[in-house]
Amino acid sequence: MDDTETLIRRATVAVNSGKPDEAQRLCEQGLARDPGDPVLHHLLAAVLFSRGVMAPARAHIDVSLAKRPNNAPARLLAARIARSEGQFDAALLHLDAAIAAGPQREMFIEKARTLDMAGLRDQARGAWQAILKVIPGHQEATARLGLLAWEDGDPATAAKLLAQATATNAPASVWFNLGLARQDLRDHRGAASAYCKAFELKPDHAEAALNLGISLQEVGGLDAAMDAYGKAYRLRPQLFGSIAMALTSASHGRLWLDEDQLRRALGG
């Protein structure tokens, strides 16, 4: 029978190999023999967290931390678990303890994310700016600062930052936010390009299709706009009112007197 150290090693290999079932079995086997082992509790918490099983994950990481309160990786995992449960104050306490125990870049990024999610805008902005000073061009920091600038009513700064964030592979959300900033600047062609990319990356992004239609309509591409509106409508029929309003209120629009006819046109 394997000893605890061997089980820990095998469980770690299983975690790193993407075999959560095997990792969980090995951790549970080890804890049945040695219920207080902090490493096994840490590994099992990580496996459970990856599966979205939050309460047991939290219980296991708490046991691990009770034995090793200054273990930075355990603090980091505890912070992620707490944040996923909306316990932002607890998450920040864990992160501060992790940073004090052994500061690493990842911890500062996690703290910035947590401040952002907690709605602590000024602190989050400062944290993201600090990350950019240490890691110039950091995509997530640039994108988050761009969104914060847009939310503050500064679309020019937002568009600049978000364009920088899309210089390397960026998720649909960043392209969508770039579209919003460009739209506010009345750069409708640039906005359409950004929304098109967002929709390409996330084909179920109904809002991207809707805003793509609005941007295309603004530059006179009504047929292309109708195609985008149709995609938005088929993804989310509740957007019909927004589409109808856009069609009748934009500078290049079309008046639809028959609602059923418009629904049929959008339904394709």
Side-chain angles (χ1 to χ4, degrees):
M1 182 179 290
D2 291 333
D3 58 19
T4 298
E5 185 176 340
T6 301
L7 286 172
I8 289 171
R9 185 166 58 252
R10 289 177 59 196
T12 302
V13 170
V15 168
N16 294 334
S17 301
K19 299 176 181 178
D21 290 339
E22 182 180 348
Q24 183 169 343
R25 178 182 62 79
L26 290 167
C27 288
E28 290 172 346
Q29 180 182 333
L31 288 172
R33 181 191 310 161
D34 188 357
D37 186 87
V39 179
L40 285 170
H41 278 289
H42 183 172
L43 284 171
L44 184 52
V47 172
L48 293 170
F49 175 62
S50 72
R51 292 179 152 181
V53 186
M54 297 305 171
R58 184 178 66 254
H60 283 289
I61 201 62
D62 285 348
V63 173
S64 181
L65 284 172
K67 297 263 182 143
R68 301 188 304 171
N70 295 322
N71 183 268
R75 286 286 182 184
L76 184 58
L77 177 58
R80 287 171 172 159
I81 293 170
R83 187 178 66 199
S84 71
E85 295 182 311
Q87 303 296 323
F88 300 118
D89 288 343
L92 289 168
L93 287 173
H94 284 304
L95 286 166
D96 286 341
I99 290 167
Q104 296 179 10
R105 289 181 177 181
E106 183 182 10
M107 297 170 186
F108 291 99
I109 293 169
E110 288 290 336
K111 184 170 182 178
R113 289 173 182 156
T114 304
L115 290 166
D116 223 337
M117 292 178 66
L120 300 171
R121 293 170 52 82
D122 291 341
Q123 293 180 56
R125 183 184 290 103
W128 288 123
Q129 288 171 339
I131 289 166
L132 271 188
K133 288 180 182 178
V134 177
I135 318 173
H138 188 275
Q139 186 187 60
E140 185 179 359
T142 305
R144 293 306 302 170
L145 287 169
L147 181 58
L148 287 168
W150 179 76
E151 290 174 346
D152 288 340
D154 185 359
T157 299
K160 179 181 177 181
L161 288 167
L162 290 162
Q164 291 173 7
T166 59
T168 54
N169 291 336
S173 59
V174 178
W175 284 100
F176 181 79
N177 292 337
L178 176 58
L180 292 175
R182 287 175 172 173
Q183 202 168 10
D184 281 357
L185 293 170
R186 303 195 66 76
D187 175 12
H188 298 298
R189 293 187 187 279
S193 176
Y195 289 134
C196 187
K197 184 65 176 179
F199 191 71
E200 176 187 324
L201 291 169
K202 195 173 186 296
D204 63 345
H205 200 322
E207 291 85 356
L210 171 65
N211 285 13
L212 173 59
I214 293 171
S215 297
L216 290 169
Q217 187 178 334
E218 287 290 347
V219 296
L222 189 55
D223 289 341
M226 283 296 295
D227 180 65
Y229 287 144
K231 291 173 181 175
Y233 175 73
R234 290 189 292 275
L235 284 167
R236 189 176 302 169
Q238 298 91 331
L239 291 174
F240 177 80
S242 299
I243 295 168
M245 182 176 295
L247 280 167
T248 57
S249 62
S251 53
H252 300 279
R254 183 180 297 170
L255 181 61
W256 293 82
L257 298 177
D258 187 331
E259 180 179 309
D260 291 336
Q261 183 183 1
L262 177 54
R263 289 186 184 275
R264 287 193 296 272
L266 295 171

